[in-house]
Amino acid sequence: MKNAETKKMREEIKKHLTEGIIPFWKGMRDDEFGGYYGFLDYDLNLDKKAEKGCILNSRITWFFSNAYTLLKDESLLEEAKHGYDFLKDHCLDKEYGGIYWSLNYDGTPKDTTKHTYNQAFCIYALSSYYEASGDAEALELAKKLFTLIETTCMDEVGYLEAFTRDFKPESNEKLSENGVLADKTMNTLLHVFEAYTELYRVSGDEKVRRRLLWIMDVFAEKVYNPKLHRQEVFFDKHYNTILNLHSYGHDIETAWLIDRGCKVLDDPELTQKMYAITRDLTAQIYKVAFDGHSLANECDRGVVNVHRVWWVQAETVIGFLNGYKKEPEKTEYLEAAEKEWAFIRDHVIDKRPGSEWFWEVDPEGNPYPDRPIVEPWKCPYHNGRMCMEVLKRTSGER
């Protein structure tokens, strides 16, 4: 039964990736001004003059690079190169270095904020594009951004968040939510870790390895809360938590991303230490946030937000599949991944021609019609990655 269900899930997901997500994002390509269009509203009206988020374009470049590496379809490498050229020629600040926050539709700078999170996503994209294409220039750019983060975007205890164009610190509205203004965030730390994992995997650079080991310690000692079986989310500059918030989606995402980092680093002692944490995070999310078919968003000061957000659902599939692979006796995790996919398939994927996934739906699967289909944060990174991870993890490759 389980094998048949997993096989069915794999087949459905491969079809959705190749016939749904990939064609949709190919259709968002801007051949006039470069990169990919930045906004498609709920009613599927495309705004060709909307701002182009640099995170959006990094994530699209990452997606097409990885899709090519997995599927070996040359058209995907061509899309990845289109994204890479836009990152290199427009998103990268030639004067001060680093990646802008966003551009106008024509590729000129719009929001010149430099955010550590944004630098990390470009490293993620460049590393994957280097793996797909073999273009050494992409790897050099990724290493330059790594050096920039390490020399400019840190203090003595961790990674800082937002900066002006010329890298003077500024307040972190962009990655602060829930009514607080954070000096440091779990989210930025996680995605620096994710980017460095890819950079180390494709480069073997010892400096990157050392920083990955250091970030693991920060997660274990400052971010992970063993008493509450969760990560803290928003911090002051000394890594004191400033809000009672449990981000369900980030915890299930962190669990598998840290496990992936452990595999890339291949350090048995570290793996044992971090697996104890990631097992705990996965078990707690299964216990408090999964209702048998889908995952709630977060719990803010004791109040649960029950919206089913697209990226949270996608990470849930990978997170529980990862948990099952690590602890095969926990067949409930495999079943949770399969049930979550069924919820996505039936409710989160928008069946209208020319669309992709809804931003969010209610627990019964009804979409919220005030949320766009594409905007600076809404991209193929989470759902495309879910598809690719499922295909890899159910093929016996790893």
Side-chain angles (χ1 to χ4, degrees), residues 51 78 146 166 186 207 255 278 280 305 329 337 353 361 384 391:
E51 74 173 316
E78 208 278 314
F146 166 80
D166 56 352
M186 168 270 290
K207 294 193 295 295
T278 59
D280 186 38
N305 176 328
E329 70 279 8
V361 301
L391 293 180

PDB file of all heavy atoms in Angstrom, residues 51 78 146 166 186 207 255 278 280 305 329 337 353 361 384 391:
ATOM      1  N   GLU A  51       7.704  45.791 -10.687  1.00  0.00           N
ATOM      2  CA  GLU A  51       9.096  45.652 -10.249  1.00  0.00           C
ATOM      3  C   GLU A  51       9.525  44.185 -10.331  1.00  0.00           C
ATOM      4  O   GLU A  51       8.703  43.266 -10.221  1.00  0.00           O
ATOM      5  CB  GLU A  51       9.274  46.175  -8.819  1.00  0.00           C
ATOM      6  CG  GLU A  51       8.710  45.287  -7.734  1.00  0.00           C
ATOM      7  CD  GLU A  51       9.064  45.778  -6.326  1.00  0.00           C
ATOM      8  OE1 GLU A  51      10.222  46.154  -6.073  1.00  0.00           O
ATOM      9  OE2 GLU A  51       8.156  45.780  -5.482  1.00  0.00           O
ATOM     10  N   GLU A  78      18.883  26.792 -20.922  1.00  0.00           N
ATOM     11  CA  GLU A  78      18.764  28.077 -21.618  1.00  0.00           C
ATOM     12  C   GLU A  78      17.983  29.082 -20.755  1.00  0.00           C
ATOM     13  O   GLU A  78      18.352  30.257 -20.674  1.00  0.00           O
ATOM     14  CB  GLU A  78      18.063  27.842 -22.964  1.00  0.00           C
ATOM     15  CG  GLU A  78      18.453  28.852 -24.035  1.00  0.00           C
ATOM     16  CD  GLU A  78      17.685  30.148 -23.908  1.00  0.00           C
ATOM     17  OE1 GLU A  78      16.463  30.086 -23.730  1.00  0.00           O
ATOM     18  OE2 GLU A  78      18.307  31.232 -23.970  1.00  0.00           O
ATOM     19  N   PHE A 146      29.982  35.519  -1.064  1.00  0.00           N
ATOM     20  CA  PHE A 146      30.320  34.868   0.205  1.00  0.00           C
ATOM     21  C   PHE A 146      31.272  35.758   1.000  1.00  0.00           C
ATOM     22  O   PHE A 146      31.051  36.026   2.199  1.00  0.00           O
ATOM     23  CB  PHE A 146      30.956  33.499  -0.065  1.00  0.00           C
ATOM     24  CG  PHE A 146      31.630  32.892   1.139  1.00  0.00           C
ATOM     25  CD1 PHE A 146      30.898  32.254   2.119  1.00  0.00           C
ATOM     26  CD2 PHE A 146      33.019  32.967   1.284  1.00  0.00           C
ATOM     27  CE1 PHE A 146      31.529  31.694   3.240  1.00  0.00           C
ATOM     28  CE2 PHE A 146      33.655  32.418   2.393  1.00  0.00           C
ATOM     29  CZ  PHE A 146      32.903  31.776   3.375  1.00  0.00           C
ATOM     30  N   ASP A 166      25.358  51.297   0.071  1.00  0.00           N
ATOM     31  CA  ASP A 166      26.805  51.262   0.317  1.00  0.00           C
ATOM     32  C   ASP A 166      27.139  50.574   1.651  1.00  0.00           C
ATOM     33  O   ASP A 166      28.158  50.840   2.272  1.00  0.00           O
ATOM     34  CB  ASP A 166      27.416  52.660   0.241  1.00  0.00           C
ATOM     35  CG  ASP A 166      26.755  53.647   1.191  1.00  0.00           C
ATOM     36  OD1 ASP A 166      25.715  53.290   1.804  1.00  0.00           O
ATOM     37  OD2 ASP A 166      27.264  54.769   1.342  1.00  0.00           O
ATOM     38  N   MET A 186      16.055  34.135  12.400  1.00  0.00           N
ATOM     39  CA  MET A 186      16.284  32.737  12.043  1.00  0.00           C
ATOM     40  C   MET A 186      16.240  32.557  10.536  1.00  0.00           C
ATOM     41  O   MET A 186      17.004  31.772   9.958  1.00  0.00           O
ATOM     42  CB  MET A 186      15.222  31.867  12.720  1.00  0.00           C
ATOM     43  CG  MET A 186      15.147  30.431  12.241  1.00  0.00           C
ATOM     44  SD  MET A 186      13.998  30.230  10.865  1.00  0.00           S
ATOM     45  CE  MET A 186      12.441  30.501  11.685  1.00  0.00           C
ATOM     46  N   LYS A 207      36.963  27.458   3.428  1.00  0.00           N
ATOM     47  CA  LYS A 207      36.443  28.617   4.171  1.00  0.00           C
ATOM     48  C   LYS A 207      34.933  28.514   4.345  1.00  0.00           C
ATOM     49  O   LYS A 207      34.382  28.848   5.391  1.00  0.00           O
ATOM     50  CB  LYS A 207      36.791  29.934   3.442  1.00  0.00           C
ATOM     51  CG  LYS A 207      38.254  30.270   3.386  1.00  0.00           C
ATOM     52  CD  LYS A 207      38.493  31.701   2.949  1.00  0.00           C
ATOM     53  CE  LYS A 207      38.047  31.986   1.529  1.00  0.00           C
ATOM     54  NZ  LYS A 207      38.809  31.241   0.501  1.00  0.00           N
ATOM     55  N   ALA A 255      14.502  21.502   9.357  1.00  0.00           N
ATOM     56  CA  ALA A 255      14.870  20.126   9.711  1.00  0.00           C
ATOM     57  C   ALA A 255      15.557  19.429   8.536  1.00  0.00           C
ATOM     58  O   ALA A 255      16.617  18.818   8.689  1.00  0.00           O
ATOM     59  CB  ALA A 255      13.636  19.348  10.159  1.00  0.00           C
ATOM     60  N   THR A 278      17.004  17.969  14.630  1.00  0.00           N
ATOM     61  CA  THR A 278      16.071  17.919  13.493  1.00  0.00           C
ATOM     62  C   THR A 278      14.996  16.854  13.700  1.00  0.00           C
ATOM     63  O   THR A 278      13.858  17.028  13.258  1.00  0.00           O
ATOM     64  CB  THR A 278      16.817  17.698  12.161  1.00  0.00           C
ATOM     65  OG1 THR A 278      17.564  16.482  12.212  1.00  0.00           O
ATOM     66  CG2 THR A 278      17.756  18.860  11.867  1.00  0.00           C
ATOM     67  N   ASP A 280      13.725  16.217  16.626  1.00  0.00           N
ATOM     68  CA  ASP A 280      12.818  16.875  17.575  1.00  0.00           C
ATOM     69  C   ASP A 280      11.910  17.886  16.865  1.00  0.00           C
ATOM     70  O   ASP A 280      10.700  17.933  17.111  1.00  0.00           O
ATOM     71  CB  ASP A 280      13.637  17.571  18.666  1.00  0.00           C
ATOM     72  CG  ASP A 280      12.777  18.156  19.777  1.00  0.00           C
ATOM     73  OD1 ASP A 280      11.768  17.518  20.143  1.00  0.00           O
ATOM     74  OD2 ASP A 280      13.111  19.240  20.274  1.00  0.00           O
ATOM     75  N   ASN A 305      -2.340  30.628  13.393  1.00  0.00           N
ATOM     76  CA  ASN A 305      -2.784  31.068  12.071  1.00  0.00           C
ATOM     77  C   ASN A 305      -2.971  29.806  11.239  1.00  0.00           C
ATOM     78  O   ASN A 305      -2.005  29.108  10.938  1.00  0.00           O
ATOM     79  CB  ASN A 305      -1.725  31.990  11.451  1.00  0.00           C
ATOM     80  CG  ASN A 305      -2.055  32.423  10.029  1.00  0.00           C
ATOM     81  OD1 ASN A 305      -2.679  31.687   9.270  1.00  0.00           O
ATOM     82  ND2 ASN A 305      -1.630  33.616   9.656  1.00  0.00           N
ATOM     83  N   GLU A 329      10.973   3.617  10.740  1.00  0.00           N
ATOM     84  CA  GLU A 329       9.893   3.056  11.562  1.00  0.00           C
ATOM     85  C   GLU A 329       8.720   4.027  11.707  1.00  0.00           C
ATOM     86  O   GLU A 329       7.601   3.622  12.015  1.00  0.00           O
ATOM     87  CB  GLU A 329      10.430   2.651  12.941  1.00  0.00           C
ATOM     88  CG  GLU A 329      10.825   3.796  13.868  1.00  0.00           C
ATOM     89  CD  GLU A 329      12.212   4.390  13.607  1.00  0.00           C
ATOM     90  OE1 GLU A 329      12.844   4.005  12.589  1.00  0.00           O
ATOM     91  OE2 GLU A 329      12.640   5.241  14.402  1.00  0.00           O
ATOM     92  N   ALA A 337       3.473  12.913   4.344  1.00  0.00           N
ATOM     93  CA  ALA A 337       3.963  13.494   3.080  1.00  0.00           C
ATOM     94  C   ALA A 337       2.978  13.205   1.952  1.00  0.00           C
ATOM     95  O   ALA A 337       2.658  14.088   1.144  1.00  0.00           O
ATOM     96  CB  ALA A 337       5.343  12.938   2.733  1.00  0.00           C
ATOM     97  N   PRO A 353      -6.285  27.409 -16.465  1.00  0.00           N
ATOM     98  CA  PRO A 353      -5.197  27.474 -17.457  1.00  0.00           C
ATOM     99  C   PRO A 353      -4.381  28.757 -17.283  1.00  0.00           C
ATOM    100  O   PRO A 353      -4.940  29.827 -17.032  1.00  0.00           O
ATOM    101  CB  PRO A 353      -5.934  27.480 -18.801  1.00  0.00           C
ATOM    102  CG  PRO A 353      -7.284  26.900 -18.514  1.00  0.00           C
ATOM    103  CD  PRO A 353      -7.610  27.279 -17.099  1.00  0.00           C
ATOM    104  N   VAL A 361      -4.604  28.999   0.982  1.00  0.00           N
ATOM    105  CA  VAL A 361      -5.986  28.532   1.035  1.00  0.00           C
ATOM    106  C   VAL A 361      -6.363  28.341   2.497  1.00  0.00           C
ATOM    107  O   VAL A 361      -5.497  28.300   3.382  1.00  0.00           O
ATOM    108  CB  VAL A 361      -6.174  27.203   0.249  1.00  0.00           C
ATOM    109  CG1 VAL A 361      -5.775  27.377  -1.219  1.00  0.00           C
ATOM    110  CG2 VAL A 361      -5.369  26.065   0.876  1.00  0.00           C
ATOM    111  N   GLY A 384       8.755  24.066  -6.779  1.00  0.00           N
ATOM    112  CA  GLY A 384       9.623  23.377  -7.733  1.00  0.00           C
ATOM    113  C   GLY A 384      10.631  22.495  -7.023  1.00  0.00           C
ATOM    114  O   GLY A 384      10.911  21.361  -7.444  1.00  0.00           O
ATOM    115  N   LEU A 391      11.318  13.591  -6.367  1.00  0.00           N
ATOM    116  CA  LEU A 391      11.823  12.724  -7.432  1.00  0.00           C
ATOM    117  C   LEU A 391      13.170  12.114  -7.051  1.00  0.00           C
ATOM    118  O   LEU A 391      13.411  10.919  -7.293  1.00  0.00           O
ATOM    119  CB  LEU A 391      11.944  13.508  -8.748  1.00  0.00           C
ATOM    120  CG  LEU A 391      10.622  13.973  -9.373  1.00  0.00           C
ATOM    121  CD1 LEU A 391      10.879  14.719 -10.657  1.00  0.00           C
ATOM    122  CD2 LEU A 391       9.664  12.820  -9.600  1.00  0.00           C
TER     123      LEU A 391
END
